[in-house]
Amino acid sequence: MTANRPMEWNGNHSSVTMFVLQGLSDEKELQLILFPVFLRIYLVTLIWNLVLILLIRMDSHLHTPMYFFLSFLSFIDICYSSSISPRMLSDFLKNEKTISFIACATQYFVAVWMGLAECCLLAAMAYDRYVAIGSPLQYSAIMAPGLCGKMVAGVYVTGFLSSLSQTVSCFNLDYCGPKIIQHFFCDLPQIIPLSCSNPFVSQIILLLAAIFIVFGSLLVTLLSYGFIAASILKISSGKGSAKAFNTCASHLAAVTLFFGTALSVYMHPSSSHSMKQDKVLSVFYVTLIPMLNPLIYSLRNKEIKGALKRVIKRTTY
């Protein structure tokens, strides 16, 4: 087995120091067209999410648990998009899309940390909406600032530890060629097959993260919405039911978009003809969802519109 490996592989360390990202497309003309499109998407993502964070911080009317969580969702979206979009944009202008071993590991670590943190945060936001609708009189006592802070800390720590374990287990494998990643960013399902050592431990860690964090968060979210639906059905007036549902509509849309696209990418049998489809779906949850989240929460939200008017008025006068 050792004789079949390249001469530079010494049995203890990876001989691969650089990976090659295949990118979204091999066509140079299409890449030049895609560059300004994705540059605008990235800039809009940064601006919208930063504006939402500043708005929530500056307006006292938005100092509630729901907007507290929303500000951290915007921060996660900024970090998540920034871990992938700048590299993708620079690759549009390159002939060779190389990325160093360390840079690839760093990109994966940050992207997965933020992605898993978003899963957990969406579950926390679902629980917040359940308490607001199911126990409105006790809402302030239950969702106290201390509990909200602990929930956010738990979200980040859970994502960090899981991402760290995945990154260490994957990038400690031996890589002795080939080195072409069939994607536009470093993603474990495309990196593990390139290893020339046994990836069993890495695959188990990846599976455990998917079961306990991704599906665990989805289960908490679905259970919360099950209780929310039961609480709404108990409300006698139609106007009250509509108001209760409207408080959840934005979050439900964000959950559907995030989990729907992520699960459609990772939870189907891999095949050669599905790679293009995976890339398109990955573009959606890596670049478009971080841009759409602040829009989803702001478009029909009277409180955010009111806060924006107050901040503009205060700044102008």
Side-chain angles (χ1 to χ4, degrees), residues 205-226:
I205 291 174
L206 189 62
L207 180 64
L208 291 174
I211 292 172
F212 288 104
I213 299 180
V214 179
F215 284 106
S217 299
L218 183 59
L219 180 62
V220 170
T221 303
L222 292 175
L223 285 173
S224 296
Y225 273 103

Side-chain angles (χ1 to χ4, degrees), residues 45-46 48-54 56 67-81 118 121 125 156 290 293-295 297-298:
T45 300
L46 292 181
W48 281 359
N49 281 292
L50 281 172
V51 166
L52 192 56
I53 291 170
L54 291 172
I56 292 170
Y67 295 109
F68 175 77
F69 290 131
L70 183 56
S71 66
F72 282 100
L73 179 64
S74 289
F75 176 73
I76 286 172
D77 282 337
I78 289 172
C79 296
Y80 186 50
S81 182
E118 184 155 343
L121 188 60
M125 293 172 77
Y156 281 102
N293 275 343
L295 182 63
Y297 280 97
S298 306

Side-chain angles (χ1 to χ4, degrees), residues 113-243:
W113 181 9
M114 294 299 111
L116 293 177
E118 184 155 343
C119 287
C120 297
L121 188 60
L122 289 172
M125 293 172 77
Y127 175 75
D128 170 69
R129 291 298 83 206
Y130 159 65
V131 176
I133 293 171
S135 306
L137 298 178
Q138 290 83 35
Y139 177 70
S140 298
I142 296 172
M143 299 304 295
L147 176 62
C148 294
K150 288 175 184 175
M151 289 173 77
V152 169
V155 161
Y156 281 102
V157 170
T158 301
F160 175 83
L161 293 176
S162 178
S163 180
L164 183 65
S165 62
Q166 289 179 53
T167 305
V168 169
S169 66
C170 172
F171 288 91
N172 267 336
L173 296 173
D174 296 314
Y175 294 91
C176 45
K179 58 181 181 179
I180 298 175
I181 299 173
Q182 303 290 329
H183 218 313
F184 61 90
F185 68 100
C186 294
D187 201 15
L188 222 58
Q190 280 72 45
I191 298 173
I192 286 179
L194 303 180
S195 170
C196 47
S197 57
N198 189 350
F200 178 74
V201 174
S202 296
Q203 291 171 333
I204 290 296
I205 291 174
L206 189 62
L207 180 64
L208 291 174
I211 292 172
F212 288 104
I213 299 180
V214 179
F215 284 106
S217 299
L218 183 59
L219 180 62
V220 170
T221 303
L222 292 175
L223 285 173
S224 296
Y225 273 103
F227 289 123
I228 286 170
S231 299
I232 290 175
L233 290 173
K234 292 177 182 178
I235 300 174
S236 56
S237 67
K239 190 176 179 180
S241 300
K243 185 178 179 182

